[in-house]
Amino acid sequence: MSWLQPTDFERELVAALRGSSPQLALLARLARLLAPATRIEPLLLRNARLHFLPGSANEIESFLWFSPLVGARSSSNIVFHSGVARLLAEELQNDGERFAEALEFIDRHTRHWLPEDRLEQTMRLDTLRFPAGGAHDRLHEGLRDMLRLIASERDEKRRTRLARSIRQTLATIGLNAGEPVAELRWLQQYTSRRLGTSGTPPADSLRAQPLPAWLGEAASAPAPRFARARLAARVHYDAGEGSVVLRLADASATEQAIEFPTPLPADLHVQARGAPGRWHLLATSEEHVRVPIAGATPSLLIELTTIDGRRYHLTTTLPEPLSPLLPTRLLLSHLPEDRERARLIAKWLRQQGIGVERIEEAPGIAAESVEEHEAVPILRLWTTAARQRLPSGAENSAPGAARSALLRVDPAVELPQAGYGAGTVLDVRGWRDGQPSEETGDFLRQLAAWLAGETPPPVDEPDPRVGEAERLLAELQDPRTPPPRRLEIGDRLAEIGDPRRGVGVREFVLDEESPAKPPLSDEARALLAELENPQTPPPRRLEIGDRLAGIGDPRPGVGLDARGLPEIDWVEIPSGEFVYQQGEKRTLPAFRIARYPITNVQYQTFVDAGGYREERWWRDLRRPEPEPSRWPQGNRPRTNVDWYEAVAFARWLSAQLRYAVRLPTDGEWERAAGGPDGREYPWGAQYKSGLANIDEKWSTEDPWSLEQTTAVGVYPHGASPEGVLDLSGNVWEWCLNQYGQPERTQPDTSGQARVLRGGSWDFRAASARASLRRGINPAARLNFVGFRLVSSAPIV
């Protein structure tokens, strides 16, 4: 058996089929019989049910189509999770005659498939028929057949489609990744060059070699319409981890660049001299790769190999410590509220060659929490939170260490009068979002002197109140300012006198000529103008969205407001009659719908506020652990959230905004997407290439498939009649209703399928129609599913 190993989650899915329900037993039998199929089309599903389960109700087909066993679903087929398929197929192998009958049935009913799809199916069936000995040879022969298909094909579009099919094959069958099989390596390299990255990364032990001439010619043309990635490599030493961190970023015209054969994402093999190498998948042009160091050495040679076999060498000299007197260990102590800030500071100190270990103190800042480190110098992170949590009498308590000092990142925070390390205060000036500025050089000199037992050199102290209010308000206007920092800013404004109109009893103007928000930079203005140009192609729209995320996306409704809460750009949908489901007339009262799906940065406020820990948001809901979004850019839609998480987020945000927000109903969503006249797509009756982020390559006439989400709203010409964006493509969106019983919108834990709407980046145009409904298990967390909000309540 050569399929991918099943995960614990996939084992749980299969174990759940062993219930006592007769309906569940039929579902399990049908799933086992179809497990050897690489994909299951509606006709194959129908024929299998009629052949193997005569007399069964046709609803079993629907149960299987929308069951959690399915890892990918479109309007034309479903695909089981790879581990689920393997487990079910292994169970089928123990069923004697039924096993052979099922394989012959699948073989007969897939003979109409395209050659490359047929080849993949044959390889999987042979793997099951010959689990030992012969399967290995047959798989090798199948790989050779794929290479022959590539070499003989001359049509560019057809060759790209072959690459897509091959990549899927390698991901679901594949040989053992450690086997030095030339055909496997060539296919991995070919698909990566053609499509941008490989679905199955090469084995770490195998560095890429140049493709053979006969195949290299077929792959020589770069991916059409895409610019190749050019990255420059820089390194810094991480003393705390005993490693070198390789940072890759967009190369300037004067820098030596690593030339990739495709845009990102792309594979890169990284190997340091004397240490094992491994492949890394580079998703963006701001990646960090950790390279372990083998032994003590003043310099390090790093070899980088791209997927097409080109190699680059990078030599770096490891930095000397700040002082030969520095200890090998330094502790950074902090409160739980300051965990993220402490992590960033510790990371930066390690980059300067300083070994740092973080410890988290108890809420009372008790000295006993660090007694075990009495011989180690301790820096205590001093923030507004620490000042407020300092218990009565703690200022005179023993420091609990050989030496301790306060590390203050904001000079406006009042210091304790005595004790708790107050004898020495080191200020980190200019620190923001984990990034130091030129002013942090003073801190390093202070730190080196203190660790060496000397008196830290004085630093010119500015009056902390001069311009402090202006600086704090400017931080609030910056969408990158995290919620914990916003809490500190609000408290500090209360101490010095909050100057904002309508907040306090005093009211004064800081600068009447200053705009309420920072003016758009020239770059942001130019990028937004490009989005408004209908000729801007989808790959460029993807780049623009990510660049806006990097410089701070200024569009309303994408990020956070001045309070640090998700800023929703509401669009009014008037009351009245509309066409539902291609003919039925319905009437809805007026409501508001968010212009965009909820973004990563907006959802993260819920996570950071402890939303997963508060019971009140999860009443009648299943509560999972938070899972990161597949693509983390702040202005991309939040994916990998299930229906329960979307409902909990809406409850939390309602409490913060003081008016009710929720998921849309099935009818509200369709009214917003199709308008009052029931349009097929938000912009009209026909799909138009380049107006939505979908997989257009299902149609041979349409060229685009980005294979990932984009920042919200980068397709402004695909707007609905009222101006709502991303209602077609990008991500499927959760609705309140149960799929089978749309009148049921209340939360429950029954597991009944909930409605999805809108299509996504991974589905064809037919799935992006305004009237199309899909149902899925509410616990599903997928990289093509997100959500947006509506409200019928008056805004306060």
Side-chain angles (χ1 to χ4, degrees):
M1 196 73 169
S2 63
W3 299 351
L4 299 179
Q5 290 291 337
T7 64
D8 291 340
F9 169 72
E10 290 167 332
R11 294 183 187 279
E12 291 175 3
L13 289 177
V14 175
L17 293 174
R18 302 190 179 97
S20 57
S21 163
Q23 186 181 70
L24 194 60
L26 287 174
L27 179 67
R29 286 178 58 192
L30 187 59
R32 276 194 295 272
L33 292 163
L34 290 170
T38 56
R39 69 173 192 264
I40 302 169
E41 298 172 334
L43 185 59
L44 176 61
L45 177 59
R46 171 62 54 86
N47 289 337
R49 180 183 67 81
L50 295 175
H51 179 82
F52 292 105
L53 305 175
S56 61
N58 59 10
E59 65 181 12
I60 294 296
E61 300 173 27
S62 179
F63 291 151
L64 181 60
W65 192 272
F66 296 106
S67 76
L69 304 174
V70 174
R73 181 183 296 105
S74 72
S75 59
S76 59
N77 60 72
I78 58 174
V79 178
F80 287 148
H81 290 285
S82 59
V84 167
R86 173 173 181 158
L87 291 169
L88 293 175
E90 287 175 341
E91 292 180 6
L92 182 63
Q93 283 178 304
N94 299 323
D95 199 0
E97 293 183 1
R98 186 55 61 93
F99 167 67
E101 183 182 1
L103 264 60
E104 192 278 332
F105 179 88
I106 293 172
D107 192 28
R108 185 173 68 254
H109 284 78
T110 56
R111 288 174 183 169
H112 63 284
W113 287 3
L114 294 170
E116 61 269 24
D117 298 332
R118 178 72 178 151
L119 181 57
E120 176 187 359
Q121 181 63 77
T122 301
M123 291 173 67
R124 177 177 283 194
L125 295 179
D126 284 343
T127 302
L128 290 167
R129 288 191 179 105
F130 309 100
H136 191 270
D137 293 338
R138 286 176 176 267
L139 284 170
H140 277 239
E141 184 58 35
L143 294 174
R144 295 187 191 102
D145 287 343
M146 288 182 175
L147 289 168
R148 294 188 192 106
L149 277 174
I150 295 170
S152 61
E153 183 58 58
R154 291 294 175 262
D155 180 79
E156 285 297 318
K157 289 186 177 179
R158 167 79 173 154
R159 192 177 292 129
T160 300
R161 193 173 73 178
L162 277 172
R164 291 164 63 87
S165 176
I166 290 168
R167 184 167 69 181
Q168 180 180 349
T169 300
L170 298 178
T172 57
I173 349 183
L175 292 172
N176 187 316
E179 297 184 39
V181 181
E183 292 89 350
L184 176 62
R185 186 177 68 245
W186 291 342
L187 286 169
Q188 289 169 332
Q189 288 181 238
Y190 170 76
T191 57
S192 187
R193 289 192 61 179
R194 175 64 55 173
L195 302 174
T197 187
S198 59
T200 303
D204 284 345
S205 59
L206 296 176
R207 286 179 297 179
Q209 302 291 335
L211 291 170
W214 57 270
L215 183 58
E217 293 174 359
S220 59
R225 305 177 183 87
F226 290 91
R228 301 184 181 198
R230 295 179 71 255
L231 300 184
R234 300 141 193 169
V235 296
H236 63 252
Y237 178 52
D238 189 331
E241 298 289 340
S243 61
V244 163
V245 176
L246 174 67
R247 178 174 176 268
L248 301 174
D250 289 322
S252 66
T254 58
E255 288 182 296
Q256 182 179 2
I258 303 170
E259 299 274 358
F260 288 88
T262 63
L264 299 183
D267 292 305
L268 181 68
H269 188 272
V270 181
Q271 183 171 21
R273 181 177 56 191
R278 63 184 294 260
W279 285 94
H280 297 269
L281 179 63
L282 308 178
T284 70
S285 61
E286 288 292 339
E287 291 281 350
H288 291 77
V289 176
R290 193 169 294 279
V291 183
I293 300 173
T297 174
S299 63
L300 190 67
L301 176 66
I302 302 176
E303 183 178 81
L304 310 171
T305 308
T306 59
I307 195 68
D308 58 349
R310 283 179 289 176
R311 294 184 182 174
Y312 303 82
H313 290 92
L314 183 66
T315 302
T316 180
T317 300
L318 302 184
E320 294 291 333
L322 291 177
S323 164
L325 299 177
L326 288 179
T328 57
R329 192 168 170 225
L330 171 68
L331 297 178
L332 178 62
S333 171
H334 62 90
L335 287 178
E337 295 95 318
D338 297 318
R339 183 183 300 124
E340 180 61 17
R341 180 176 292 178
R343 183 187 69 80
L344 294 171
I345 292 176
K347 176 182 177 181
W348 177 68
L349 288 173
R350 294 187 190 114
Q351 294 171 4
Q352 314 311 310
I354 304 171
V356 178
E357 177 184 346
R358 287 190 299 115
I359 56 173
E360 193 167 293
E361 295 191 22
I365 318 185
E368 292 80 2
S369 63
V370 293
E371 282 183 352
E372 60 182 284
H373 307 290
E374 288 183 355
V376 182
I378 292 181
L379 283 177
R380 286 185 164 95
L381 188 57
W382 189 251
T383 63
T384 300
R387 173 71 262 183
Q388 293 174 342
R389 297 283 284 273
L390 185 66
S392 176
E395 295 185 0
N396 298 315
S397 63
R403 280 183 298 152
S404 66
L406 294 188
L407 175 60
R408 186 170 61 168
V409 294
D410 186 347
V413 178
E414 181 183 356
L415 294 171
Q417 295 181 0
Y420 199 67
T424 303
V425 179
L426 307 179
D427 283 315
V428 183
R429 303 244 182 90
W431 187 271
R432 183 170 183 79
D433 293 338
Q435 298 298 324
S437 70
E438 295 179 359
E439 296 173 300
T440 52
D442 293 334
F443 164 72
L444 292 176
R445 288 190 290 273
Q446 283 190 320
L447 178 63
W450 176 69
L451 290 174
E454 303 170 0
T455 301
V459 179
D460 292 336
E461 284 284 350
D463 183 350
R465 291 179 180 266
V466 174
E468 183 180 359
E470 293 93 332
R471 177 176 59 80
L472 293 175
L473 292 175
E475 277 195 73
L476 289 179
Q477 292 293 336
D478 188 341
R480 296 171 297 176
T481 302
R485 175 58 182 156
R486 293 179 183 274
L487 175 63
E488 294 177 3
I489 291 172
D491 292 345
R492 181 55 183 165
L493 286 172
E495 294 173 7
I496 65 175
D498 197 320
R500 291 173 294 171
R501 292 178 182 272
V503 174
V505 297
R506 291 181 300 162
E507 191 171 300
F508 53 91
V509 177
L510 297 177
D511 185 354
E512 291 185 344
E513 296 182 358
S514 299
K517 289 188 177 182
L520 285 180
S521 67
D522 291 341
E523 181 182 10
R525 186 177 291 104
L527 293 174
L528 294 176
E530 273 196 81
L531 290 181
E532 293 297 331
N533 183 354
Q535 303 305 315
T536 301
R540 176 58 182 159
R541 294 181 183 275
L542 173 65
E543 294 174 358
I544 291 172
D546 288 350
R547 181 56 185 161
L548 286 172
I551 65 176
D553 197 321
R555 294 174 295 165
V558 175
L560 309 179
D561 63 17
R563 299 166 293 177
L565 295 174
E567 181 185 33
I568 308 299
D569 185 12
W570 295 114
V571 177
E572 295 285 342
I573 306 296
S575 62
E577 191 177 75
F578 73 103
V579 178
Y580 177 76
Q581 292 292 289
Q582 300 178 328
E584 180 186 346
K585 294 292 183 69
R586 288 192 178 184
T587 302
L588 281 174
F591 64 95
R592 294 181 302 276
I593 189 167
R595 193 177 305 276
Y596 310 114
I598 292 298
T599 62
N600 285 318
V601 69
Q602 291 174 333
Y603 191 85
Q604 192 61 37
T605 59
F606 171 58
V607 179
D608 292 343
Y612 281 80
R613 297 192 299 271
E614 290 200 44
E615 193 70 36
R616 54 178 170 158
W617 314 131
W618 300 91
R619 187 182 65 257
D620 300 325
L621 301 175
R622 295 180 182 177
R623 176 167 43 179
E625 289 297 317
E627 178 179 308
S629 190
R630 169 63 180 84
W631 291 279
Q633 289 86 344
N635 59 1
R636 292 202 191 190
R638 185 58 158 85
T639 62
N640 300 84
V641 286
D642 63 25
W643 185 85
Y644 303 112
E645 290 171 288
V647 172
F649 173 87
R651 289 174 173 176
W652 169 82
L653 187 57
S654 296
Q656 314 312 308
L657 298 177
R658 294 186 295 169
Y659 63 86
V661 300
R662 55 177 170 79
L663 294 181
T665 64
D666 197 19
E668 287 171 335
W669 193 99
E670 184 166 333
R671 164 60 183 88
D677 52 348
R679 297 181 180 186
E680 194 75 355
Y681 296 94
W683 54 82
Q686 301 295 327
Y687 181 77
K688 295 181 181 179
S689 176
L691 292 190
N693 180 17
I694 67 164
D695 185 357
E696 293 183 351
K697 291 188 177 180
W698 284 93
S699 168
T700 56
E701 294 82 17
D702 296 327
W704 305 115
S705 178
L706 300 179
E707 301 185 351
Q708 58 186 295
T709 61
T710 62
V712 298
V714 298
Y715 290 85
H717 305 93
S720 73
E722 284 83 16
V724 187
L725 299 179
D726 290 357
L727 288 167
S728 278
N730 216 1
V731 289
W732 289 94
E733 298 177 12
W734 288 112
C735 292
L736 276 179
N737 312 67
Q738 288 187 11
Y739 179 73
Q741 297 176 289
E743 70 279 2
R744 296 192 175 183
T745 60
Q746 293 303 311
D748 59 50
T749 57
S750 66
Q752 293 296 318
R754 297 282 173 167
V755 171
L756 286 180
R757 289 289 201 144
S760 78
W761 60 268
D762 199 31
F763 286 73
R764 64 176 69 184
S767 297
R769 292 178 291 119
S771 61
L772 185 75
R773 304 173 72 245
R774 289 291 183 217
I776 193 171
N777 188 307
R781 303 165 98 181
L782 302 166
N783 63 15
F784 50 78
V785 175
F787 68 100
R788 79 173 73 215
L789 300 176
V790 302
S791 179
S792 302
I795 296 178
V796 297

